């Protein structure tokens, strides 16, 4: 436990990004000219929120005349949720999946009904899970079946700490469940073989990307769509994207951390910060950062960028996050059973 606390503290400390329209205030309050807002987010949103924060600061200044400072914290989504529960005083959370926000709600920090507070189930943008392979695709990886072949080295993060890893797991499970006609024993065997090929289970999606891209490990990265595109952008002509036959509609969720924002005097600001994610400007910015806008009309503007005809299952197909966690990710559940083998 001591090691876990140290790791969480280090993750929080080294992953703070600050963007704002004024100087930071040590003790935010509604009466001060300069409010501070802390957004605790997950790994792959760093670049998006760095730019969004500048956009929102300008918007807020125009609307209220007030300077604000937004601070970001990034890490594995599950670990970030636990850090908030354990005292990381986030005003808002923008995490990889609804279950992580529900965990904060159950701690008493977020009021009931957060999922209905903003549009699209409080999911202002979506993504999906695809493969990133090295240029030339030497192992000829085309679908999930290829990830269980001997000699194929897979990179994916750990579903115990990473929300993206949970989406990865479920996308693979959905593929083999359909292929194996619902035979759970066969599905589990395919999943076991895939994880047997995993070199490293990083704690978060960005860590897994760094393992694959920066450290040159593995033949295929199971990745957020936006992470794959960012890698392609940063390293042109070094990677290729492969779209699997079945994937999942990944819905990152957002919420105001009600108890913290009340104490900080930032409730109105926190609500406006998340609401502005649905503005046309922010929706287009999300698309430019390779997230899929929740606004259907704006999403169509990016039809040449995204494959909008993918076969995507949803979390509802699995019975919702509560059932998913009980079945797959709690201690001793299916992931633990598979990985222990």
């Amino acid at each position: 436990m001591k090691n876990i606390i140290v790791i969480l503290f280090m993750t929080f400390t080294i992953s703070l990004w600050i963007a704002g329209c004024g100087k930071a205030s040590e003790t935010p309050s509604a009466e001060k000219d300069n409010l501070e807002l802390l957004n605790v987010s997950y790994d792959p949103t760093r670049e998006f929120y760095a730019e969004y924060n500048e956009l929102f600061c300008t918007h807020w200044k125009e609307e209220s005349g007030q300077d604000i400072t937004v601070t970001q914290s990034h890490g594995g989504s599950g670990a970030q949720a636990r850090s908030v529960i354990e005292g990381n005083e986030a005003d808002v959370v923008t995490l990889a999946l609804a279950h992580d926000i529900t965990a904060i709600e159950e701690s008493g920090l977020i009021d009931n009904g957060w999922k209905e507070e903003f549009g699209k189930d409080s999911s202002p943008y979506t993504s999906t899970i695809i493969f990133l392979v090295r240029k030339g695709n030497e192992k000829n990886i085309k679908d999930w079946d290829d990830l269980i072949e001997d000699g194929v080295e897979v990179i994916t993060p750990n579903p115990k700490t990473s929300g993206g890893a949970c989406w990865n797991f479920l996308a693979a499970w959905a593929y083999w469940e359909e292929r194996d006609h619902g035979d759970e024993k066969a599905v589990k065997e395919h999943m076991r073989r895939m994880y047997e090929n995993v070199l490293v289970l990083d704690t978060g999606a960005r860590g897994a990307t760094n393992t694959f891209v920066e450290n040159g490990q593995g033949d295929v990265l199971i990745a957020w769509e936006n992470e794959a595109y960012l890698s392609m952008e940063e390293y042109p002509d070094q990677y290729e994207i492969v779209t699997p036959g079945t994937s999942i509609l990944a819905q990152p969720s957002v919420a105001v951390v009600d108890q913290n924002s009340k104490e900080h005097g930032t409730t109105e600001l926190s609500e406006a910060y998340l609401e502005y994610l649905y503005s046309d400007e922010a929706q287009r910015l999300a698309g430019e950062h390779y997230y899929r806008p929740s606004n259907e009309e704006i999403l169509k503007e990016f039809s040449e960028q995204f494959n909008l005809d993918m076969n995507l299952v949803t979390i509802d197909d699995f019975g919702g996050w509560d059932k998913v966690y009980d079945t797959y990710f709690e201690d001793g559940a299916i992931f633990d059973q598979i990985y222990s083998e």
Side-chain angles (χ1 to χ4, degrees), residues 248-262:
I248 192 165
L249 179 66
Q251 295 174 285
S253 299
V254 303
V256 175
V257 185
D258 298 286
Q259 295 306 308
N260 290 346
S261 65
K262 289 174 185 175

Side-chain angles (χ1 to χ4, degrees), residues 293-306:
S294 62
N295 182 314
E296 295 293 335
E297 292 304 312
I298 294 179
L299 176 60
K300 290 176 183 176
E301 297 176 14
F302 294 88
S303 59
E304 293 186 5
Q305 176 173 289
F306 300 121

